Amino acid sequence: MKTTIIALLLGAASVFAAEPAKPAAELPPCCRPAVPLGKPTDKSLYLLDSKWTSDVGKTIPLSVLRGRPQVVAMFFSSCEYACPIIVNDMRTLEAKLPANVRAKTDFLLVSFDTKRDTVAALAAYRKKEKIPTANWTLLRGGEDDVRELAALLGINYSQDARGQFAHSNVITVLNAEGEIAFQQPGLNAAPTALVDAVAKAAKDAKR
Amino acid sequence: MATLPDGKYRPLFRGEKDAKEIAIASFQLDERPVTNGEFLGFVRENPKWQRSQVKRLFADERYLAHWAGDGDLGKADPAQPVTQVSWFAAKAFAAWSGKRLPSTAEWEFAAGAGFTNPDGTKEPEFQQAIAKWYGTPTPDVLPAAGSGKPNVHGLRDLHGLVWEWTSDFNSAIVTGDARGDTGLERNLFCGAGSLGAKDTGNFPAFMRFGMRSSLKAGYTVHNLGFRCAKDIPSK
């Protein structure tokens, strides 16, 4: 009981503390100040020490995303077929979330394409697709790190002769601790189960 | 390590527009799989990879379960290939040794070489030997790594001992439910599967493909080990 009250007080305090600062809405989730939350759990993806670069040019470990649920997909910006659909599925999901859940949920797109998806290419993709800045992170990484993250998300992929990537279509919900809370394979599926999973994960949001 | 020459690998499955062959640049490959003894040296120096210390994200509950303890092989023979290791652990061992895991294309290229002919498909004796292994269950007690007959490049036990991790084991585009995947190899499942394959007679290659596509990076399996590769230093 006591700890709950303290946690509530702390939570309230951090909200107040954050308010006078520059509006967080200007920065994508990757670039918000990290919150110290102790050691990640044994199943947390935030145990990874790989470094990633966002479309705003900042280099970060994934653990800076800790504290809020992340809806994650892997994509590549020159994709002709499935990626626009998977990004659309994520946007549909975002629109279906109740406002209080949406305010505590981030979205993360990580590129397969280590060569063509440069920082500039990702920034152009964000602009072209009108991807909101406030809660969407776009990341690129090194080949080994992309392969490793895909392996953790259970995503298989290979590049064909034309440079297109064949890949599994999976939307993953990471909870605030970075553990896989839910995965939805396939495209154009009704987002009901995803909405439920995100709403559940958002209850434990730490920021 | 053995040095493999430049060469070409013909993927088992490919898209209609893909090239028939992938060029393989000359590289080095361990002559035999990594052993229990060698892996023990690794976990002693890297406690976070010990059985009791490893994070669940990186290896499942059976990680090194056949050893007696963190620093004790127990009944496991130091000369046997190490098994019950996850992809993450294999990758970490390789990096610690200043090496890397071979890609699937590199591994298959190496494994396609016969005892006397760099193209094993042209050597009936080699084909019979590997078909025999793929039809035999794993023995309870694994033989020592390196006891198999060397192929033309001096590599042993690519067939006949344990399955081996590759760096891009997760490049096979299949899942239990193929609707979840997009792209070239969606025809893999069901009877039509082998139509997209280049060599329908190469049954062991299908088995390896199926084995890899069933794996997840944290899995540990009693007959799955690994060996390391290395780039040729640029001149």
Side-chain angles (χ1 to χ4, degrees):
Chain A
M1 189 62 195
K2 211 173 206 172
T3 42
T4 322
I5 293 167
I6 293 169
L8 284 170
L9 285 172
L10 282 173
S14 62
V15 169
F16 291 130
E19 264 176 0
K22 210 175 137 196
E26 296 301 312
L27 293 170
C30 60
C31 306
R32 292 184 202 132
V35 183
L37 291 167
K39 272 190 174 175
T41 66
D42 274 13
K43 287 185 175 174
S44 171
L45 263 63
Y46 301 146
L47 288 168
L48 291 178
D49 41 27
S50 50
K51 297 286 192 296
W52 303 79
T53 312
S54 81
D55 64 314
V56 294
K58 186 164 173 169
T59 300
I60 50 144
L62 292 180
S63 57
V64 302
L65 300 169
R66 195 166 162 201
R68 270 195 192 182
Q70 304 286 325
V71 180
V72 188
M74 294 183 77
F75 85 119
F76 62 109
S77 70
S78 55
C79 180
E80 290 162 12
Y81 169 59
C83 316
I85 305 179
I86 207 162
V87 175
N88 271 342
D89 279 358
M90 286 168 73
R91 300 183 77 157
T92 309
L93 166 68
E94 185 183 19
K96 291 242 157 90
L97 293 175
N100 62 332
V101 174
R102 198 183 322 142
K104 288 185 174 176
T105 305
D106 293 335
F107 295 79
L108 172 62
L109 290 172
V110 183
S111 174
F112 292 113
D113 197 338
T114 56
K115 299 215 166 60
R116 288 173 300 184
D117 277 340
T118 57
V119 168
L122 289 183
Y125 182 79
R126 186 192 285 273
K127 205 173 162 195
K128 183 177 130 237
E129 298 294 327
K130 301 191 176 64
I131 293 174
T133 311
N135 54 348
W136 285 69
T137 302
L138 272 60
L139 295 180
R140 55 155 286 112
E143 211 169 311
D144 285 354
D145 298 334
V146 171
R147 184 61 71 188
E148 182 173 75
L149 179 64
L152 282 166
L153 296 173
I155 294 173
N156 284 20
Y157 69 95
S158 63
Q159 192 172 16
D160 73 11
R162 293 175 305 151
Q164 294 278 303
F165 288 81
H167 59 90
S168 326
N169 290 311
V170 183
I171 296 178
T172 302
V173 179
L174 298 181
N175 65 18
E177 286 302 317
E179 301 160 343
I180 294 176
F182 182 78
Q183 291 197 295
Q184 178 165 287
L187 297 169
N188 292 322
T192 327
L194 267 171
V195 170
D196 291 349
V198 174
K200 197 172 158 226
K203 281 182 191 154
D204 297 320
K206 306 282 190 314
R207 54 155 109 187
Chain B
M1 295 183 95
T3 300
L4 283 96
D6 290 340
K8 289 193 169 102
Y9 163 61
R10 305 189 72 163
L12 191 59
F13 292 95
R14 58 188 186 84
E16 284 168 16
K17 290 175 185 159
D18 279 2
K20 283 191 182 130
E21 298 175 327
I22 295 174
I24 305 279
S26 176
F27 69 105
Q28 292 181 306
L29 191 62
D30 284 348
E31 286 160 31
R32 54 164 178 75
V34 171
T35 63
N36 280 319
E38 288 161 343
F39 204 80
L40 181 64
F42 164 68
V43 301
R44 280 194 175 135
E45 275 193 38
N46 299 274
K48 71 173 187 176
W49 288 104
Q50 286 171 4
R51 199 170 76 180
S52 66
Q53 302 296 311
V54 74
K55 305 283 185 198
R56 270 302 148 258
L57 184 71
F58 299 127
D60 68 19
E61 292 77 7
R62 301 284 303 157
Y63 176 66
L64 297 177
H66 59 309
W67 290 13
D70 277 346
D72 180 4
L73 294 183
K75 285 184 187 154
D77 184 336
Q80 283 169 342
V82 67
T83 55
Q84 314 255 80
V85 285
S86 67
W87 178 75
F88 296 104
K91 216 159 64 96
F93 177 98
W96 172 76
S97 326
K99 301 178 188 174
R100 60 177 173 81
L101 292 182
S103 69
T104 304
E106 286 172 337
W107 195 98
E108 288 287 335
F109 170 64
F115 299 128
T116 54
N117 192 322
D119 182 354
T121 60
K122 295 188 176 133
E123 194 181 321
E125 191 203 338
F126 172 71
Q127 294 295 326
Q128 281 159 17
I130 61 175
K132 193 176 156 208
W133 178 62
Y134 285 88
T136 310
T138 305
D140 288 341
V141 179
L142 286 172
S147 48
K149 185 175 174 180
N151 76 6
V152 66
H153 302 304
L155 301 164
R156 298 167 190 266
D157 304 324
L158 284 161
H159 311 277
L161 191 56
V162 288
W163 306 95
E164 295 181 16
W165 283 109
T166 55
S167 61
D168 57 347
F169 78 96
N170 60 338
S171 59
I173 304 299
V174 284
T175 62
D177 176 355
R179 285 176 303 175
D181 292 315
T182 161
L184 315 175
E185 291 157 322
R186 78 181 92 193
N187 294 328
L188 183 67
F189 269 41
C190 307
S194 54
L195 291 178
K198 55 104 186 164
D199 178 4
T200 51
N202 192 349
F203 189 65
F206 278 97
M207 283 181 71
R208 292 192 296 273
F209 191 89
M211 169 70 177
R212 286 186 202 111
S213 61
S214 71
L215 293 171
K216 292 227 158 86
Y219 282 11
T220 69
V221 183
H222 73 285
N223 58 359
L224 174 62
F226 69 101
R227 75 179 71 206
C228 304
K230 205 174 176 180
D231 293 335
I232 305 280
S234 49
K235 289 149 209 157

